[in-house]
Amino acid sequence: MKRWLQVSFAGFAGSLLVALGLAVWPLVGDYLRAERNMRSVEAYGELLTAANRISAERGPSNVMMSIQPGSDEAAAARLAAFRTATDRSLEQILALPRTWTDQSVLLTLGERIGEARRLLQTARLAVDEVAALPIAMRQSADTRQAIDGMIAVADSYQSVLDISARVLAHQDPSLIGATLIAQSASDLREFGGRIASGLIPAVSLGEKLSADELDRFVRTEGRLLEIERLLRTQTLFEDDETARRLAQDIRQRFFGDGLNFLRRLVAKGREGGRYGADPAVIMSVYVPTLKPLEDLRVFALSHMIETFKAQSREALTRLLLTLVCSALFLALAFRFLYSVRTTILIPLMAARDMVVSLADNRPARSLGSQVPINELRTLFSAIAVLAQQTSERRRLLEQFRAQAETDRLTGLANRRRFEALATQAMKSARAGQMGLLYFDLDLFKRVNDTFGHHAGDEVLVEVARRLEALVAGQIVLARLGGDEFAVLCIDLDEAVQRTVAEAILAVLSEPFEIEGRRLRIGSSIGIAVLRDEGVTFETLCRQADIALYQAKATGRNRFCVYADGMEAAFQERNAAERDNLPGDGRAGAEPAPSTPSRRRLPPAA
């Protein structure tokens, strides 16, 4: 296939791949974005879980600060378990994969979490100090300070959640709604526990609620109602049956039973310190009403994570389906291109090559029945007809050329062909490595005169047959006309040329059968060796002709090699012979030639 066609196919295939890449790349981006969102949401969920652990630790801490030291081992074990859970949760968020956000954000979060942990250790020491004192020695200010220390930990940790929420919103605005619901559910649980913690100091010591404690209760209650109104506006609580059920449960159990229980305690606290129950009893009544808040927090987190996992799976599914469809499309496209190439383009190029071959007078191979398309088979059939006609014409031309370059009687090369071969060979010939042999038959004229030209033709055919056995790749044999022959020796030195001349004399000295009679005819040979690479073919022919004349003049049936001085002697002898009549008058005797007989002698150089 031509290079431009290969380049065109490669360009088309490349464009196709680029187009599919542009179509697939947005899906790859969607999948990567969904994967990052999922990792970010999972990390945010771990952060919220840690916040809940910190908040949940206040409950057993409050209990320990409202009972006598060592009076309740179960309460102490419960506090230890909650603290362990908090520590483990904080360790887990520090070990989260660092690919969910930027390095700078991770450093900031690490600093804030470290600060919260330091505050947590301080708050725990304060709780333990209060819990270690007998109830009679405890001061409400110490208990309130310890509780405020635990609340300060939650407030400090809130900055971690705020930074994370901003990062998620900046990363993908679609995360805002999910993070808002999850954090609101977590805040609802935090402030649901905080509002009860504010009453513990006064209840544990049977004191009247201070104005500050009453103000905290009112503000925290307002915050809880605000968060609840915010959650009611989210579509999640309209579209999801579980969310609707949890919202109803929260309204009934927490905002109904739980907050009403605390309101009654506050009413008693305004009047005096007669609460009718200790903190442990209060917590046993109130804490179960926080269960719907915890359930909502867990549901919001799991729903957020599952939502983005589903988005990630959906993005991956779309990507895989697109890749599969793209692969199928590419396979079909390349199969189509391959089919076009093999069934149309290659046959057309083959047809072109056939036409070019026919135009160059060269044989062309036809695909014929191998072409699968009928229309192209018709084209190749037409080209085959043209090829057949062209082949016939070429055969005729070859025949005409052979006839023009071959002696019709002997089948040897004729003068025209011999001169063309010799001229071409002399272009690369080296001095001393090329020679030209001229020879004729000594008694051929007697055969023609005695037995007729038909017998003479038989002799010439037999001469050609005998000489063809001597012809090799470096020896060219030709009949120049009449009984005159020539031999061209290519890349052969003078010694080999002499050997060739001796072989010719030997085979032509053998008798010839002519009408039942055996006659010896013999031959004389003139050899011209290329002595100088500047010598022309015409000069070499004249030298061979003079050498042949010299061989005949010195007795015939021999060969003579051209040497310097032969031409001057030839010219003198030729001038003398023109003054005398040729021959001796005997019947059948041939006159000695005065010039190289029946050859066009080139002019002297």
Side-chain angles (χ1 to χ4, degrees), residues 159-175:
S159 65
V160 174
L161 299 178
D162 293 340
I163 293 173
S164 301
R166 287 195 298 271
V167 168
L168 295 182
H170 178 73
Q171 178 177 308
D172 191 339
S174 65
L175 298 174

Side-chain angles (χ1 to χ4, degrees), residues 505-526:
L505 290 177
V507 298
L508 296 185
S509 296
E510 297 293 327
F512 290 82
E513 276 299 327
I514 302 175
E515 295 185 1
R517 298 179 60 182
R518 293 169 61 85
L519 300 177
R520 296 183 182 274
I521 297 177
S523 175
S524 298
I525 304 174

